[in-house]
């Protein structure tokens, strides 16, 4: 870096930023500013460093870049005389952390007019009080509105997920209640029929064999496979005919349960030989109660298991019992999110998962990544109102773990694709979207995890690719 003499007021007036200033203001700038030269390839300032100076390009070419998952990504390049960069928010003072948001490099030998940040802040605050109020209102107002709407977006998403979860929990809970009520009736009937069978008409040996029949019936019911509709109807007819032949009352009502449990004519013939024709009716009904009870207990077990899985998915989604940053399995997070969103995914949308199960756990903020998956999945589903396929793929790409969401919707028009990550930008009707979903996702992935999120789109195929570092990173914050 080399420093030369100060610019004259006349030279400063040739810069479009200063051309409307008064002679006194130009004199003030000329006295406090300086010129600096930087060689080609030199770094003028680095991203994240304290913002100490305001730079105006006098000659040469410059490039701005940002660091994304360890790589410098160039975001702008220009040789326009008078462009400015650096401590552009110095006028906000200590209310905002003053750091350079990107890296500035000299592409060719370059010369700058440099003004210390405190002097630039004084000039803006003193010379343009109305503009200062407007800029402060715009900056802090936008930030406050962003925070409020962002929080509202999170609450709305939470309310939607809670409604979906409540609906999903209600189904197995109601099934368990119904099955429990029916089970109570079957157990009462079983006790009554057993009393009729064992009121002195069967000796101990016959009772023992009857219990063995009961155990065998339970075993058959537990392992029976569902029959095709035609085969099931034939089995029910055969059992019903046998019961009618042996004068078992309401055989047509008992036959479906027995057939579903894999109990056919040979088994019933053995049972008749054990208890005799006189006790066959009560015995068969008692066995039906037994099989029914077993099937109902299976329904209750299935319902309770579904409830347990939903609660587990909700816990995994919210990450309430875990540290904010932890080592996570992205597949577990995605599966929990899909479970939470099950009620929002219509039957016409098929979800295909192509996971690389060899991927390692990564350091991350699990609850916030779940919010990213939520936003991307909901957007994909919304893009396929007539149905389609959502494919979720994972793989490793060098030091990155990649999660890709692909939908078969209409696609994102090329003219709006560059704006989709902007705050408050949305293509949804008024009231249906805040435009913060992708902005929040971008900030979580890029700013908090030092990763990247990319999009490509054409009709019938839109891909959102989330890239996350695989190694532990102390700088994640």
């Amino acid at each position: 870096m080399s420093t030369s003499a100060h610019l004259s007021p006349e030279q400063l007036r040739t810069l479009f930023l200063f051309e409307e200033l008064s002679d006194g203001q130009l004199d003030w700038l000329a006295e406090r500013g300086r010129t600096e030269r930087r060689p080609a390839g030199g770094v003028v300032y680095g991203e994240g460093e304290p913002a100490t100076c305001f730079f105006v390009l006098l000659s040469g070419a410059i490039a701005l870049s940002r660091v994304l998952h360890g790589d410098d990504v160039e975001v702008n390049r220009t040789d326009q005389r008078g462009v400015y960069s650096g401590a552009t928010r110095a006028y906000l003072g200590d209310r905002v952390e003053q750091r350079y948001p990107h890296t500035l490099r000299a592409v060719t030998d370059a010369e700058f007019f440099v003004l210390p940040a405190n002097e630039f802040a004084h000039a803006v605050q003193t010379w343009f009080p109305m503009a200062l109020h407007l800029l402060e209102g715009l900056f802090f107002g936008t930030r406050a509105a962003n925070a409020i709407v962002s929080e509202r977006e999170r609450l709305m998403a939470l309310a939607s997920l809670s409604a979906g979860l409540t609906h999903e929990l209600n189904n197995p809970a109601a099934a368990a209640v119904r099955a429990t009520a029916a089970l109570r009736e079957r157990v009462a009937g079983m006790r009554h029929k057993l009393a009729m069978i064992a009121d002195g008409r069967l000796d101990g040996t016959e009772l023992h064999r009857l219990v063995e029949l009961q155990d065998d019936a339970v075993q058959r019911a537990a392992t029976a496979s569902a029959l095709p509709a035609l085969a099931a109807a034939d089995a029910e007819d055969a059992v019903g005919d046998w019961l009618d032949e042996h004068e078992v009352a309401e055989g047509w009502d008992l036959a479906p349960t027995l057939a579903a449990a894999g109990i056919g004519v040979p088994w019933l013939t053995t049972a008749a030989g054990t208890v005799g024709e006189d006790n066959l009716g009560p015995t068969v009904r008692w066995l039906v109660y037994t099989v029914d009870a077993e099937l109902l207990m299976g329904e209750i077990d299935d319902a309770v298991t579904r409830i347990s899985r939903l609660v587990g998915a909700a816990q995994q989604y919210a990450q309430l019992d875990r540290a904010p940053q932890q080592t996570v399995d992205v597949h577990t997070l995605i599966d929990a999110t899909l479970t939470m969103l099950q009620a929002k995914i219509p039957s016409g949308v098929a979800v295909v998962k192509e996971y690389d199960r060899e991927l390692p756990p990564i350091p991350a903020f699990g609850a916030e990544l779940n919010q990213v998956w939520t936003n991307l999945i909901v957007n994909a589903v919304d893009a396929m109102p007539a149905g389609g396929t959502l494919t979720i793929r994972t793989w490793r790409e060098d030091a990155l773990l990649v999660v890709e969401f692909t939908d078969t919707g209409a696609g994102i028009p090329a003219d709006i694709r560059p704006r989709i990550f902007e705050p408050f930008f949305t293509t949804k009707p008024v009231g249906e979207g805040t435009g913060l979903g992708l902005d929040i996702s971008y900030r979580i992935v890029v700013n908090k995890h030092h990763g990247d999120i990319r999009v490509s789109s054409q009709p019938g195929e839109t891909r959102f690719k989330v890239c996350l570092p695989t190694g532990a990173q102390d700088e994640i914050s």
Side-chain angles (χ1 to χ4, degrees), residues 194 197-198 200-214 270-271 273-276 279 286:
L194 182 58
I197 295 170
R201 287 176 281 178
L202 296 177
D203 61 23
T205 301
E206 291 171 323
L207 278 174
H208 181 72
R209 293 180 63 187
L210 184 60
V211 172
E212 290 178 349
L213 284 174
Q214 181 189 38
T270 301
T274 299
V275 300
N279 297 315
W286 176 66

Side-chain angles (χ1 to χ4, degrees), residues 102-281:
H102 41 243
T103 296
L104 177 64
R105 288 184 175 85
V107 177
T108 65
D109 290 346
E111 185 177 22
F112 301 89
F113 173 72
V114 183
L115 190 66
N118 62 322
E119 301 287 11
F120 172 71
H122 175 79
V124 174
Q125 293 165 355
T126 304
W127 299 347
F128 311 107
M130 181 177 175
L132 175 65
H133 290 309
L134 290 172
L135 289 171
E136 285 182 334
L138 178 64
F139 179 83
F140 290 110
T142 300
R143 189 166 73 171
N146 197 341
I148 292 170
V149 178
S150 175
E151 187 63 26
R152 178 66 175 172
E153 176 95 352
R154 293 172 189 261
L155 290 173
M156 290 175 64
L158 180 60
S160 177
L161 288 173
S162 298
L165 179 61
T166 301
H167 174 76
E168 292 297 322
L169 286 171
N170 182 65
N171 290 335
V177 170
R178 289 194 302 269
T180 301
L183 178 61
R184 185 175 289 109
E185 293 179 4
R186 300 302 187 275
V187 171
M190 195 187 318
R191 289 196 303 266
H192 178 67
K193 293 301 179 185
L194 182 58
M196 292 177 62
I197 295 170
D199 61 359
R201 287 176 281 178
L202 296 177
D203 61 23
T205 301
E206 291 171 323
L207 278 174
H208 181 72
R209 293 180 63 187
L210 184 60
V211 172
E212 290 178 349
L213 284 174
Q214 181 189 38
D215 290 341
D216 186 56
V218 168
Q219 182 65 29
R220 285 174 177 267
T223 58
S225 301
L227 295 174
L230 186 59
D234 291 341
E236 291 174 13
D237 289 343
V239 170
D241 291 343
W242 188 92
L243 294 175
D244 288 342
E245 291 172 5
H246 290 76
E247 299 181 353
V248 176
E250 299 179 342
W252 57 269
D253 190 34
L254 306 177
T257 299
L258 293 170
I263 295 174
V265 170
W267 192 95
L268 289 170
T269 302
T270 301
T274 299
V275 300
E277 292 292 334
D278 293 340
N279 297 315
L280 183 60

Side-chain angles (χ1 to χ4, degrees), residues 308-386:
S308 178
R309 287 175 180 169
L310 285 168
V311 172
Q315 187 179 50
Q316 181 66 240
Y317 181 86
Q319 300 280 303
L320 291 177
D321 61 342
R322 294 166 173 80
Q325 183 183 345
Q326 62 199 298
T327 301
V328 301
D329 179 351
V330 294
H331 301 132
T332 301
L333 298 181
I334 295 170
D335 287 343
T337 303
L338 286 171
T339 300
M340 293 292 291
L341 292 173
Q342 191 171 347
K344 295 180 69 68
I345 300 177
S347 58
V349 174
V351 178
V352 178
K353 295 186 287 188
E354 299 177 2
Y355 292 167
D356 179 359
R357 294 294 183 180
E358 301 298 319
L359 291 178
I362 63 170
F365 297 88
E368 299 196 28
L369 283 184
N370 282 339
Q371 188 172 10
V372 175
W373 313 145
T374 298
N375 292 335
L376 296 180
I377 291 170
V378 169
N379 282 350
V381 170
D382 289 345
M384 300 182 286

